Amino acid sequence: MRNSEFGQTESVSALAGSLLLAHPELKDPNFNKSVVLISAHSTDDGALGVILNRPMGQSLAQFDGKFSYTDLADVPLYVGGPASPDQMILTAWQWHLEQGRFQLHFGINPDKARELISHDPEIELRGFVGYSGWSQGQLEGELEQDSWVVTPVSSDALEDVQGDDLWRTIIREVSPEMRFLADAPDDPSVN
């Protein structure tokens, strides 16, 4: 279990707390148009995160009946990634805008989740089925191949947008080239 505070990141060796945006040309079905929140990263151990924009359309109670009559029943579930698709990870985050800080609570147990929402009912709490992981050096290699675009987490981007629209909204802000690529049709022959 991990409870960390993250600010903006500045180097590849410190990507925890950043978003990975799938490059528009990345066609891997596991990550096409994905927005991955990186919770842990080191050049020695690899990286770990969850996909933020793959809602399952289910709540925690629908996924696991033991949560049916609890205050966690309505927590939304997302596909966190292709690794360990039978594992559910509870994650919460909150913004401390006055301090310019994003706080992530990753891999928390249900008791910790209840404690967090009792202290701050506005905290964002989500369940992720599976996760995204990279072994030592793997993510760095994918970054060198331009498979991913790294960007800091911003409160306005994660508040109201879901699915592919979240990816499109964030990647459009990276550069004019990314805006152009994000708006291109998946099948150029339809253009």
Side-chain angles (χ1 to χ4, degrees):
M1 294 195 197
R2 183 179 167 96
N3 178 12
S4 302
E5 294 180 8
F6 302 107
Q8 288 190 359
T9 58
E10 296 180 6
S11 72
V12 170
S13 65
L15 294 177
S18 296
L19 296 177
L20 288 183
L21 307 174
H23 190 281
E25 295 178 1
L26 179 65
K27 300 303 180 197
D28 177 340
N30 291 310
F31 294 109
N32 187 8
K33 296 182 181 175
S34 65
V35 177
V36 180
L37 174 60
I38 297 297
S39 66
H41 175 251
S42 76
T43 53
D44 294 334
D45 297 323
L48 174 72
V50 288
I51 299 173
L52 295 177
N53 63 328
R54 300 269 168 84
M56 293 177 62
Q58 273 188 308
S59 68
L60 191 53
Q62 291 168 315
F63 180 76
D64 187 339
K66 73 180 181 186
F67 292 101
S68 293
Y69 300 103
T70 73
D71 48 354
L72 301 179
D74 294 329
V75 170
L77 287 179
Y78 291 75
V79 174
S84 295
D86 55 339
Q87 179 182 9
M88 197 274 297
I89 301 169
L90 282 175
T91 300
W93 60 79
Q94 59 200 121
W95 301 95
H96 301 280
L97 296 176
E98 64 284 348
Q99 300 164 359
R101 191 168 51 106
F102 172 72
Q103 186 174 16
L104 176 65
H105 307 271
F106 188 83
I108 58 177
N109 65 38
D111 291 334
K112 178 67 175 177
R114 286 184 191 92
E115 177 187 327
L116 289 168
I117 60 175
S118 73
H119 290 300
D120 181 2
E122 300 299 314
I123 197 167
E124 181 72 26
L125 181 62
R126 295 185 185 182
F128 294 93
V129 177
Y131 65 90
S132 301
W134 292 264
S135 60
Q136 179 183 11
Q138 183 180 6
L139 181 56
E140 290 80 4
E142 292 178 14
L143 288 168
E144 287 176 15
Q145 295 171 359
D146 294 325
S147 297
W148 298 100
V149 176
V150 179
T151 186
V153 175
S154 73
S155 61
D156 53 336
L158 298 182
E159 291 299 315
D160 300 317
V161 187
Q162 296 284 323
D164 288 349
D165 289 339
L166 176 63
W167 173 83
R168 194 169 281 105
T169 297
I170 299 172
I171 205 156
R172 282 179 176 161
E173 300 300 318
V174 171
S175 71
E177 176 191 9
M178 287 299 148
R179 177 181 288 276
F180 175 77
L181 292 172
D183 291 336
D186 289 334
D187 181 359
S189 67
V190 181
N191 197 6

